[in-house]
């Protein structure tokens, strides 16, 4: 095509577009007049409440609560999930707060927001950290799930079908569990797909937490994705995970970091009119986990967010008669992303997650 023909075509398109006879008809045709997740069916411009049913199998079934905010105008579908670990309370309360946030009012939203505040209802009810007490499985390790497995497998399968497959982007919210004294951070997953990774990086920077873990070791196989975020990422949907809150009592500031972060991402995705500045100079880290080799009583010697040098003492382990067993030292220089918050310690437990500072991976 010559430049002249090209220019004429562009002029023709610009002139024709507003008066094209099919244009108004196309606008009138809504591709998604309703949006349904589980039993929640929202009309365009409305909010609906319901559940995603985990069917009965080798053990009991149960209902995962869900809200669908189907915005007044079409746009991206963003899923926000928390409570895979039902005692990471700040993240759960953050999604509860979003349900009634004026900024997530369907009249103001372009696109659709799927809110799932509590995946692991049994953990929340029984105050059980890390796992689903029904089958003792972590509810963020068995994706994409298995309809013939135990409760966690079946719950993961319905979450994949109802939430992951229907969304364009997913944010999975976590926090310090009952035994984790955690500083807030996000993860940025490197999938190797440059375009997708740039998109998810933009979402993470818009979210606003200034410490970001570079996550390079997630499975690449969508049929063995393990993690919820990775289930979306391996299906080509730019997504990320963020954590805030710590060891039981809820601080409003931690809840606000997460709920406001989601609203910022909605602005970034043009789901709302909010203008968002990306976090300017994040601290990029890769994490090393310090695991216990002992059963005993743990005494932390540093707090969350401490900057430690390789070899610094971060804790002491004593036996049940107060005799010292071991000093725990930092294996590398870095930032304490979280440290064990409770005296209970058994072999294999995580003592600390240490963030080793890296260059901006861009
Ligand atoms: Zn968690």
């Amino acid at each position: 095509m010559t430049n002249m023909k090209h220019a004429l075509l562009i002029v023709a398109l610009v002139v024709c577009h507003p008066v094209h006879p099919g244009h108004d008809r196309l606008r009138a045709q809504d591709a998604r007049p309703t949006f349904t997740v589980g039993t929640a069916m929202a009309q365009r411009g409305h909010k609906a409440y319901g559940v995603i049913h985990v069917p009965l199998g080798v053990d009991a079934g149960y209902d995962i609560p869900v809200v669908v905010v189907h915005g007044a105008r079409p746009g991206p579908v963003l899923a926000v999930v928390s409570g895979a670990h039902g005692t990471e309370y700040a993240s759960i309360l953050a999604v509860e707060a979003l349900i009634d946030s004026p900024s997530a009012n369907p009249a103001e939203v372009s696109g659709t927001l799927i809110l799932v505040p509590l995946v692991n209802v049994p953990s929340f009810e029984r105050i059980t950290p890390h796992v689903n007490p029904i089958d003792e499985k972590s509810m963020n390790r068995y994706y994409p799930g298995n309809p013939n497995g135990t409760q966690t497998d079946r719950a993961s399968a319905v979450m994949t079908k109802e939430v992951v497959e229907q969304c364009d982007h997913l944010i999975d919210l976590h926090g310090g569990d009952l035994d984790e004294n955690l500083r807030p951070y996000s993860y940025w997953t490197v999938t190797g797909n440059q375009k997708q990774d740039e998109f998810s990086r933009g979402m993470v920077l818009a979210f606003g937490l200034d410490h970001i873990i570079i996550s390079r070791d997630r499975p690449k196989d969508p049929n063995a994705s393990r993690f919820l975020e990775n289930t979306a990422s391996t299906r080509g949907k730019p997504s990320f995970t963020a954590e805030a809150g710590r060891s039981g009592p809820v601080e409003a500031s931690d809840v606000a970091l997460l709920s406001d972060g989601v609203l910022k991402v909605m602005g970034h995705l043009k789901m709302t009119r909010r203008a968002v500045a990306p976090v300017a100079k994040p601290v990029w880290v890769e994490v090393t986990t310090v695991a216990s080799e002992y059963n005993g009583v743990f005494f932390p010697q540093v707090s969350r967010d401490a900057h430690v040098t390789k070899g610094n003492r971060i804790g002491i382990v004593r036996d049940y008669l107060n005799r010292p067993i071991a000093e725990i030292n930092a294996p590398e220089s870095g930032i304490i992303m979280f440290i064990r918050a409770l005296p209970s310690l058994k072999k294999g437990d995580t003592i600390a997650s240490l963030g080793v500072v890296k260059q901006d991976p861009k």
Side-chain angles (χ1 to χ4, degrees):
M1 190 185 290
T2 66
N3 282 345
M4 179 59 81
K5 275 185 186 165
H6 198 174
L8 284 172
L9 182 63
I10 288 169
V11 169
L13 282 172
V14 168
V15 170
C16 281
H17 191 64
V19 293
H20 191 281
H23 188 68
D24 288 341
R25 200 168 62 237
L26 276 176
R27 277 171 62 99
Q29 285 174 352
D30 186 348
R32 299 211 78 153
T34 63
F35 198 105
T36 303
V37 181
T39 65
M41 187 182 80
Q43 305 285 336
R44 173 71 65 204
H46 291 83
K47 181 161 69 174
Y49 295 72
V51 296
I52 301 167
H53 185 57
V54 182
L56 179 74
V58 294
D59 45 23
Y62 76 104
D63 289 337
I64 298 171
V66 62
V67 165
V68 177
V69 177
H70 197 32
R73 292 164 298 281
V77 180
L78 174 65
V80 184
V81 180
S82 61
H85 303 128
T87 45
E88 295 175 355
Y89 296 115
S91 59
I92 296 163
L93 297 195
V95 181
E96 301 286 359
L98 286 168
I99 293 171
D100 292 311
S101 167
S103 305
N105 181 332
E108 307 297 324
V109 170
S110 298
T112 307
L113 191 59
I114 303 172
L115 297 172
V116 183
L118 183 56
V119 174
N120 193 345
V121 175
S123 151
F124 183 85
E125 288 179 344
R126 299 189 194 184
I127 316 178
T128 307
H130 302 299
V131 298
N132 176 351
I134 302 299
D135 57 13
E136 297 288 323
K137 290 176 176 173
S138 167
M139 293 199 84
N140 195 27
R141 294 294 185 281
Y142 290 86
Y143 282 96
N146 175 1
N148 301 313
T150 61
Q151 193 180 76
T152 293
D153 300 303
R154 301 198 307 285
S156 302
V158 294
M159 285 292 294
T160 298
K161 179 169 179 286
E162 294 288 334
V163 178
V164 176
E165 289 181 1
Q166 295 210 81
C167 75
D168 300 315
H169 307 288
L170 185 143
I171 305 174
D172 191 16
L173 297 180
H174 289 257
D177 214 323
L178 291 180
D179 54 356
E180 295 167 346
N181 183 12
L182 179 143
R183 66 118 44 247
Y185 52 82
S186 299
Y187 295 82
W188 177 54
T189 298
V190 180
T191 66
N193 176 334
Q194 199 177 355
K195 203 171 154 193
Q196 181 176 337
D197 293 349
E198 268 178 35
F199 200 108
S200 62
R201 176 186 163 106
M203 292 170 67
V204 171
L205 293 176
F207 191 81
L209 298 184
D210 64 358
H211 283 59
I212 304 172
I213 295 175
I214 308 161
S215 187
R216 299 184 191 275
D217 57 353
R218 294 282 159 103
K220 307 287 187 207
D221 179 0
N223 296 313
S225 52
R226 293 193 78 208
F227 307 89
L228 176 61
E229 169 273 309
N230 198 47
T231 306
S233 292
T234 53
R235 283 158 178 75
K237 301 160 188 267
S239 300
F240 69 97
T241 300
E243 308 211 38
R246 51 184 169 133
S247 39
V250 177
E251 290 178 29
S253 57
D254 287 323
V255 176
L257 281 178
L258 298 178
S259 57
D260 200 45
V262 170
L263 296 175
K264 288 178 184 170
V265 171
M266 290 175 69
H268 175 74
L269 294 173
K270 306 277 188 272
M271 295 175 72
T272 61
R273 291 201 186 89
R274 179 168 176 170
V276 179
V279 57
K281 284 200 171 161
V283 178
W284 298 93
V285 302
E286 290 183 3
V287 288
T288 298
T289 299
V290 182
S292 178
E293 297 171 20
Y294 315 94
N295 297 329
V297 184
F298 180 65
F299 296 84
Q301 303 288 296
V302 294
S303 191
R304 65 178 186 148
D305 206 32
H307 288 233
V308 298
T309 303
K310 182 176 179 174
N312 279 172
R313 195 166 71 184
I314 60 172
I316 296 170
V317 184
R318 294 175 177 271
D319 72 8
Y320 295 148
L321 296 173
N322 204 38
R323 294 169 292 198
I325 300 174
E327 271 190 9
I328 310 300
N329 299 316
E332 305 208 42
S333 298
I335 303 165
I336 299 292
M337 306 304 281
F338 69 80
I339 187 150
R340 191 162 194 80
L342 302 178
S344 307
L345 185 72
K346 64 181 191 309
K347 191 175 176 182
D349 283 346
T350 301
I351 289 178
S353 167
L354 186 67
V356 179
V357 177
K358 300 288 174 184
Q359 296 282 331
D360 184 337
K362 192 170 188 178

